[in-house]
Amino acid sequence: MASTSFSPYKTASGFLLPSIHSAPPFFTQQPNLSTQITHTAHWTRLILSYARHRQLFLLRVEDAETSGSNWDEILKNERINRKLLPTHLSFILADMVSKNLAIYEPVRQTRSVLLYWRTPEEWAEVLHGWADSTGQLNTILTFYDIVEPPVPSPLVGLPLTMLRKAIAILAKTSRAQTIAVADGEGVRFLSGNTTR
Amino acid sequence: MGTLKRYTKSVDGTIPAPALLYPEEEIMALQEGVGIYDGNQKSPQHQSGAVYATSHRLFYIDHPHPSSRSFALDLSHISRTDYYAGLLRSSAKITLYLSALSTGTGRLGSQSNTRRANEEDDLETWECEVCSYRNTSGLSHAASQVCTLCGVPRSATGNNTLSSALPRQLNNISLSSSLPSSSDHLNSMLSSEPVSRSDLGTTNEVACPACTFLNHPSLPNCEICGTELPRRPPRHAPAKSAPSSRPPSDDEDEDDYDELDDRPRMMKISFRKGGDKSFYAVLRRSLLGKAWEPSQVLTPPFKTDNSSSVNNRSGLNSILHDVSTKATTSQSNLEDALQDLEALIVKAREMVRVAEDLNERLSATTAAAASIAPNGQPVLDVVEPEEATFIRSSLAQLGLQMENAPVTQDMIKDERKWFEELARELAGVLQGHGGKGISEDGGMMKKRGVVGMDEIWGGWNRARGVALIPPSTFLQILPHLPTYTSPPIQARTFSSGLSVLHTPLFTKAAFSSRLASLLVIRPKTTVEVAYEEQLPIGLVQDMILEVEETGDICRDEGGAGVNMLDTNQGGETQWWPNVFNGYIWDGQVD
């Protein structure tokens, strides 16, 4: 496969693009159903791993229409002069939502998704671990305290939608408790029964 | 005497008969020594003369008084004839039964009017309203209705206006007075005419019951819409009362008799000197010939009813009638043509059979010559005689080469057998005839692996020449085709609806693997693949799409590149091997 062997490529942000990203057919929606399933799976993996790499949570169809967005590195490949078409991106997003790898955010539209590169359950664990490790159990924290902590944490920039889902999951196992505070919502993390 | 006078016209018997004829009239027979019976009575004035039968009329030329007693009778008046062979002293006779005059009412007034009109027609010249050609008199009644120069019917122009009618009447009077033979009856009618004219003067015009147009009284049909006009009572009234203004004559009794229609209208010709049989035969032929009727080409509108209303049609009516007549004519022409074609097909079959026979005989003689050859004969003799070659090539030029004579259904009884024979024939067209004969080119599919179904169907039918195969039959024989072809040729239909016949080289699997190996070297556009395969682009497109459906290849539509100005990567779809199959993630892992 002389001409079709592509090599991975490291982007400016330090992300290692897969070799398939250099194949022009990767940027074309494939009519063949089985090809399309594989194709979309590759795209899904690329998007999620890039999101994880860059700590990105939201992906919009507009990102494929304009340039200069956070997603340019994967939605375009200037070396082979290809880019993902908005309609194709929209199709991939719909597929991800159907596979529960993303949700439409806000709801009742299909142009923007919240990516689940970590599922809410995983985020719940991350959240509880962060509170535990930073010694903030049994203290009341506002959401602002969590997503914009004075010390950098994996939770920086976490969308509130995801935060609420994670807290709701913790609350079910009595590891968190939502509390109404003066300037909004607050949460108190408890040690619970599964803590280390 | 009644019948004789009313139906016949006096002619001057001193003029030789051929000079009395209309331009298109011909003398068919002549018989001397005849006498005339008016009804059942001998007509005393016509007992010795000659009778001429022409295509239009019957002339009696009296011998003792040729100028005053001769007459002519229009054959169109004769409805029936009878023949009496004669017995002992009574001579053979032909009885002529005469039809009612003209409009058929039998009324005295209209009868004499018609009579007068006929006289006019024959005696005057008339000017065509369209081309102003002055038509001469002396034409037969039918011919006089059409202008000799331009063929426009006389009545179509509606020339029966009062102004033209009056001079004609005057003309008529002077003519009739100059003719010594004119009957009293006619003169009396003419003298009574002014009376009726003056009566008419007040209510001159007749309102049409349909369109209310005021028509000239002499028109029987409305000039605008062709509706029949009501018969005006004033017209008959003077005629009924005419006897008072007419000099009494014995005609009148006869006419009255006739009006009651008790007596058969007939006359007899007695052949005192024989010749009756041949004359009767000629007369009958003339009657059947109906030469006095207008010919169809000249005056189609008159074809159906020339008996009563020859000159009555005008305006829209005549146009409509004309159109319908034309339609009928073209229909019958078409049917004739189709029948001719069928006859031609039959003849063609016969010709093919003869050619087949001839060819077989030629082959037989050649074979015989060849078999003799080893027995010491010079090898030269094996060569087909020049004449035979010439005949064969002639047959080929005529399209009668027998080696590829088309198979037709009538040659084979069983339908299944027929399909198989057709498949065999088609195989010959596609792949040549087993290496012998005329197909050096090797058939339609020698050099091409894929050919469109439509092209094959057309090519095959062209090769057949006769008894063409309908598409439905063509499709039915395709399943039989692989049996008779080597390598087997199969049919294939693409998703676009394009149907082709193809060799094994172009089956889905074969093409797919070929395409995959082609694309591994370098991705290609449809056009490039078509160039490689030497096939039409549309066909290749369909074939590639089928391969794509199997998932062996994928596409790069390009076009929407980052750099819109980069024209090197045009919007044409490039085909790639399926790069997703078996791909293992080699990107960021965390």
Side-chain angles (χ1 to χ4, degrees):
Chain A
M1 292 233 164
S3 69
T4 54
S5 59
F6 307 105
S7 50
Y9 181 81
K10 196 137 192 131
T11 68
S13 67
F15 181 73
L16 185 67
L17 283 172
S19 62
I20 196 130
H21 192 259
S22 301
F26 193 58
F27 293 87
T28 297
Q29 199 169 344
Q30 298 296 328
N32 180 300
L33 192 64
S34 63
T35 307
Q36 187 188 78
I37 289 168
T38 328
H39 183 211
T40 310
H42 291 328
W43 263 109
T44 305
R45 180 162 185 188
L46 176 62
I47 288 170
L48 290 181
S49 56
Y50 188 70
R52 190 196 313 273
H53 175 75
R54 293 277 312 266
Q55 294 265 320
L56 298 173
F57 293 93
L58 287 175
L59 177 56
R60 284 174 290 269
V61 176
E62 285 80 41
D63 291 328
E65 288 167 355
T66 59
S67 58
S69 79
N70 290 330
W71 295 90
D72 271 1
E73 279 180 358
I74 62 161
L75 296 185
K76 290 181 180 149
N77 187 341
E78 280 164 30
R79 285 161 290 127
I80 58 166
N81 193 22
R82 291 289 181 276
K83 70 172 185 180
L84 195 65
L85 290 177
T87 49
H88 191 187
L89 178 59
S90 179
F91 173 83
I92 293 170
L93 296 186
D95 185 71
M96 290 172 76
V97 169
S98 74
K99 293 197 169 87
N100 204 27
L101 295 171
I103 55 162
Y104 286 120
E105 171 66 31
V107 291
R108 285 191 286 282
Q109 54 80 47
T110 58
R111 308 259 315 156
S112 166
V113 294
L114 175 63
L115 296 167
Y116 280 6
W117 46 268
R118 276 188 187 133
T119 63
E121 289 77 17
E122 285 168 344
W123 278 115
E125 292 306 322
V126 172
L127 186 58
H128 196 265
W130 169 75
D132 193 12
S133 63
T134 53
Q136 295 188 80
L137 292 178
N138 296 316
T139 48
I140 295 173
L141 297 164
T142 62
F143 286 0
Y144 179 78
D145 292 334
I146 298 169
V147 299
E148 306 248 337
V151 183
S153 80
L155 298 170
V156 172
L158 186 70
L160 292 186
T161 315
M162 185 63 92
L163 185 58
R164 286 203 189 90
K165 281 179 188 287
I167 291 169
I169 288 165
L170 291 175
K172 273 183 194 161
T173 51
S174 311
R175 290 189 290 161
Q177 188 183 7
T178 46
I179 289 162
V181 294
D183 55 343
E185 293 167 279
V187 62
R188 179 164 60 181
F189 292 102
L190 307 165
S191 62
N193 46 13
T194 59
T195 49
R196 287 161 263 172
Chain B
M1 310 288 265
T3 312
L4 205 54
K5 275 190 179 166
R6 273 185 292 110
Y7 285 91
T8 62
K9 275 174 278 188
S10 285
V11 292
D12 188 348
T14 54
I15 303 171
L20 291 167
L21 301 183
Y22 300 138
E24 70 271 40
E25 199 175 0
E26 282 179 71
I27 292 184
M28 315 293 278
L30 158 67
Q31 183 55 47
E32 296 282 348
V34 298
I36 302 294
Y37 282 62
D38 186 5
N40 281 318
Q41 306 291 318
K42 273 189 185 175
S43 174
Q45 294 180 321
H46 307 105
Q47 284 308 307
S48 169
V51 65
Y52 291 81
T54 77
S55 55
H56 289 63
R57 287 179 292 183
L58 205 59
F59 284 93
Y60 171 80
I61 309 295
D62 199 56
H63 273 317
H65 307 280
S67 62
S68 59
R69 292 185 180 173
S70 303
F71 64 83
L73 169 70
D74 279 348
L75 289 185
S76 59
H77 293 312
I78 298 172
S79 62
R80 195 156 60 83
T81 59
D82 221 344
Y83 175 68
Y84 167 69
L87 185 68
L88 300 177
R89 293 197 57 195
S90 94
S91 38
K93 292 185 185 64
I94 292 173
T95 312
L96 307 173
Y97 296 92
L98 304 173
S99 56
L101 270 176
S102 193
T103 51
T105 56
R107 294 208 159 220
L108 181 61
S110 57
Q111 227 173 57
S112 27
N113 279 339
T114 313
R115 171 79 185 270
R116 189 179 53 79
N118 283 344
E119 294 281 341
E120 280 174 11
D121 285 348
D122 291 334
L123 292 175
E124 65 158 346
T125 63
W126 59 280
E127 188 173 305
C128 174
E129 302 265 327
V130 174
C131 65
S132 298
Y133 177 74
R134 183 157 287 275
N135 288 278
T136 54
S137 61
L139 292 175
S140 66
H141 185 67
S144 70
Q145 298 307 313
V146 177
C147 174
T148 4
L149 189 62
C150 64
V152 171
R154 183 180 180 182
S155 63
T157 53
N159 61 344
N160 283 338
T161 54
L162 191 60
S163 54
S164 73
L166 279 177
R168 196 186 306 163
Q169 193 185 333
L170 293 172
N171 187 22
N172 217 349
I173 290 168
S174 59
L175 270 172
S176 59
S177 57
S178 71
L179 282 174
S181 62
S182 273
S183 66
D184 295 344
H185 180 85
L186 178 62
N187 277 336
S188 70
M189 275 314 300
L190 287 169
S191 62
S192 74
E193 194 60 29
V195 180
S196 57
R197 283 278 175 212
S198 61
D199 266 4
L200 294 177
T202 51
T203 55
N204 218 355
E205 293 166 320
V206 187
C208 170
C211 69
T212 72
F213 180 75
L214 293 176
N215 289 279
H216 184 269
S218 61
L219 287 177
N221 287 22
C222 175
E223 204 175 336
I224 301 298
C225 63
T227 313
E228 198 173 342
L229 293 174
R231 297 225 155 263
R232 287 171 307 99
R235 182 135 198 167
H236 297 293
K240 289 268 185 193
S241 61
S244 61
S245 65
R246 278 201 281 173
S249 70
D250 52 351
D251 297 354
E252 207 167 313
D253 297 328
E254 300 285 344
D255 286 342
D256 285 348
Y257 273 135
D258 199 61
E259 192 175 359
L260 295 171
D261 214 7
D262 288 340
R263 216 181 40 180
R265 292 177 291 260
M266 56 182 253
M267 55 184 287
K268 292 182 184 175
I269 305 170
S270 173
F271 292 84
R272 311 247 151 83
K273 290 181 184 168
D276 46 304
K277 274 189 185 163
S278 58
F279 187 85
Y280 184 57
V282 170
L283 180 63
R284 281 192 64 85
R285 211 181 316 135
S286 285
L287 283 170
L288 286 173
K290 290 192 192 295
W292 58 87
E293 288 194 355
S295 68
Q296 192 193 354
V297 181
L298 269 177
T299 56
F302 303 145
K303 191 191 174 188
T304 48
D305 50 0
N306 65 322
S307 58
S308 62
S309 58
V310 167
N311 50 3
N312 284 353
R313 289 193 178 279
S314 62
L316 193 57
N317 238 8
S318 108
I319 293 170
L320 284 176
H321 189 79
D322 206 4
V323 166
S324 72
T325 314
K326 269 182 191 157
T328 326
T329 316
S330 58
Q331 172 71 21
S332 65
N333 283 349
L334 191 63
E335 277 165 11
D336 283 355
L338 285 175
Q339 278 175 359
D340 285 354
L341 188 63
E342 268 168 28
L344 192 63
I345 288 172
V346 171
K347 285 283 167 203
R349 278 213 195 105
E350 276 173 22
M351 200 168 155
V352 166
R353 208 170 299 130
V354 168
E356 198 170 24
D357 191 38
L358 190 57
N359 208 23
E360 269 170 20
R361 280 190 209 173
L362 282 177
S363 306
T365 42
T366 314
S371 66
I372 293 167
N375 305 337
Q377 288 283 334
V379 189
L380 259 170
D381 282 9
V382 183
V383 179
E384 238 176 27
E386 203 173 305
E387 293 85 354
T389 319
F390 174 72
I391 293 173
R392 269 182 205 263
S393 65
S394 305
L395 291 177
Q397 277 167 5
L398 286 170
L400 294 173
Q401 188 83 22
M402 280 310 107
E403 274 165 36
N404 57 346
V407 179
T408 52
Q409 193 164 20
D410 47 356
M411 290 185 200
I412 294 151
K413 314 257 180 312
D414 182 17
E415 183 164 288
R416 192 187 150 73
K417 189 90 192 305
W418 185 49
F419 285 152
E420 282 171 1
E421 281 304 312
L422 283 177
R424 196 193 302 278
E425 182 184 303
L426 179 57
V429 171
L430 295 179
Q431 296 185 322
H433 298 269
K436 57 171 180 162
I438 38 99
S439 54
E440 276 83 24
D441 55 86
M444 293 176 76
M445 289 183 71
K446 189 182 186 184
K447 288 177 187 145
R448 300 161 62 191
V450 185
V451 184
M453 210 88 102
D454 49 345
E455 186 184 341
I456 287 180
W457 179 70
W460 186 23
N461 271 334
R462 198 175 307 155
R464 285 174 69 88
V466 294
L468 305 185
I469 295 296
S472 54
T473 311
F474 177 63
L475 292 178
Q476 276 175 297
I477 66 156
L478 288 182
H480 299 286
L481 194 55
T483 327
Y484 297 100
T485 48
S486 163
I489 289 175
Q490 277 164 333
R492 190 171 154 192
T493 304
F494 295 107
S495 51
S496 69
L498 175 69
S499 298
V500 296
L501 293 184
H502 63 91
T503 55
L505 204 57
F506 291 89
T507 57
K508 203 164 167 174
F511 179 74
S512 181
S513 63
R514 196 158 68 247
L515 181 65
S517 58
L518 199 64
L519 295 183
V520 162
I521 303 163
R522 193 170 65 83
K524 285 185 169 58
T525 62
T526 305
V527 176
E528 284 165 341
V529 176
Y531 180 77
E532 289 283 340
E533 292 281 313
Q534 295 289 310
L535 289 175
I537 292 172
L539 179 62
V540 167
Q541 176 77 16
D542 274 349
M543 290 168 74
I544 291 177
L545 286 181
E546 266 203 357
V547 177
E548 189 189 27
E549 267 171 38
T550 65
D552 287 346
I553 56 169
C554 65
R555 60 169 70 194
D556 162 32
E557 281 171 355
V562 180
N563 182 2
M564 291 297 187
L565 297 175
D566 185 358
T567 50
N568 291 335
Q569 307 271 356
E572 211 173 339
T573 303
Q574 297 245 5
W575 298 103
W576 289 71
N578 195 330
V579 292
F580 308 108
N581 273 358
Y583 169 75
I584 297 151
W585 185 262
D586 53 2
Q588 182 96 353
V589 182
D590 45 14

